[in-house]
Amino acid sequence: MPYRLLAADKLAEFLSSIAHPRRIQIIEELQGGELDVGSLQRALGITHSNVSQHLAVLRTHRVVAERRE
């Protein structure tokens, strides 16, 4: 696969991972530093499970990383 096609595929994959308004909001909230799911839930006004689902997509595409404590 030519390099440019590979780069385009990777870019499309990345953009699709952040192409949801809630995921963009999550990324914006995390710019200030680490937040737990509960804090994100309160900031965004959505359910805990919805935050977790969006974070799972972002983790899968390595947009965010998790740290358990």
Side-chain angles (χ1 to χ4, degrees), residues 36-63:
D36 59 30
V37 174
S39 297
L40 287 170
Q41 175 190 0
R42 287 185 295 280
L44 300 175
I46 59 177
T47 65
H48 188 279
S49 63
N50 201 285
V51 173
S52 294
Q53 289 170 354
H54 287 299
L55 285 172
V57 172
L58 294 172
R59 277 193 308 272
T60 298
H61 294 284
R62 296 186 177 131
V63 177

Side-chain angles (χ1 to χ4, degrees), residues 4-27:
R4 294 180 87 180
L5 182 56
L6 179 62
D9 285 346
K10 292 296 181 185
L11 181 58
E13 183 179 318
F14 169 73
L15 291 174
S16 71
S17 72
I18 63 168
H20 191 283
R22 292 292 188 205
R23 291 185 201 132
I24 293 170
Q25 288 178 308
I26 289 171
I27 292 168

